[in-house]
Amino acid sequence: MANEYLLEIKNVRKEFPGVVALDNVSLFLKKGEIHALVGENGAGKSTLMKILAGIYSLDQGEILYDGKPFQAKKPVDALEKGIAMVHQELDLIPEMTVEENVFAGREKSNGIVIDKRGMEKRTKDLMESLGIDISPKTKIKELSTAQQQMVAITRALAFDAEIIIMDEPTATLTDTEINSLFDTIKKITSQGGSIIYISHRMEEFERIGDRITIMRDGKTLRTRHSAYL
């Protein structure tokens, strides 16, 4: 019988000097699921996801990815495994184009020549699959915050990410932009991707989450299907 969960985070503990940030935290993610991770600021949501993304190390506990032990020692380990994090503070380069940001640090090449045409096509194809109407040749500084977020999501998919972590993605978006983001998220999961959606806004995770894990003071309180909240 196949494992029910794509990702299993079990009994994780993380301490910083003088602070227990995570205490016996668990979270289970299914393939094709939008799993909302919710709680007030300081609940431990971002710390947990930064462990998954290879930014922090865990002190205790285990992570299973597709049934096998996994621990990212650095962010590139997570990316190579198919786990990408879209941070609240987007780390895009304003003077570079959309396609250059999508492939920054891993440019496609034909021999020793950068394959700009291939990068443009791949970026355009990914965006079209998500219904995103942005030219790959546009510079990041010319885009709105919502459009930049779409570029960051496209970059994650260009890494062939199977799991995308979104950290408070609507913090600076308008209602119209939030609706567009939610449409994009649903397209990703309809294509087999899985989303962990960090938020502290009740109205958002009731709309977007298939299941919801609630955190408080570095602990997981419970997980529920959103329909039963």
Side-chain angles (χ1 to χ4, degrees), residues 53-159:
I55 298 168
Y56 296 151
S57 61
L58 56 78
D59 295 330
Q60 294 178 23
E62 65 174 340
I63 299 173
L64 300 179
Y65 187 22
D66 204 16
K68 299 177 182 178
F70 169 74
Q71 184 174 347
K73 294 182 179 179
K74 51 189 181 296
V76 69
D77 295 339
L79 287 170
E80 289 176 351
K81 191 67 175 179
I83 300 170
M85 187 168 183
V86 178
H87 297 272
Q88 187 172 350
E89 299 294 331
L90 300 174
D91 55 346
L92 302 174
I93 302 171
E95 294 295 332
M96 290 173 60
T97 65
V98 169
E99 67 186 54
E100 288 170 340
N101 271 274
V102 167
F103 287 97
R106 55 190 189 90
E107 292 81 2
K108 289 178 174 291
S109 63
N110 290 322
I112 62 173
V113 179
I114 293 178
D115 183 11
K116 292 187 176 181
R117 184 172 296 179
M119 289 164 52
E120 181 181 1
K121 184 179 186 305
R122 174 66 169 154
T123 301
K124 186 176 180 180
D125 288 347
L126 284 169
M127 287 186 161
E128 286 182 351
S129 74
L130 298 175
I132 300 171
D133 185 18
I134 301 173
S135 168
K137 295 297 186 184
T138 305
K139 287 190 175 183
I140 294 299
K141 67 181 181 181
E142 298 171 6
L143 301 178
S144 68
T145 300
Q147 290 174 316
Q148 290 182 30
Q149 198 155 56
M150 295 304 179
V151 174
I153 292 169
T154 301
R155 181 174 60 184
L157 293 175
F159 274 97

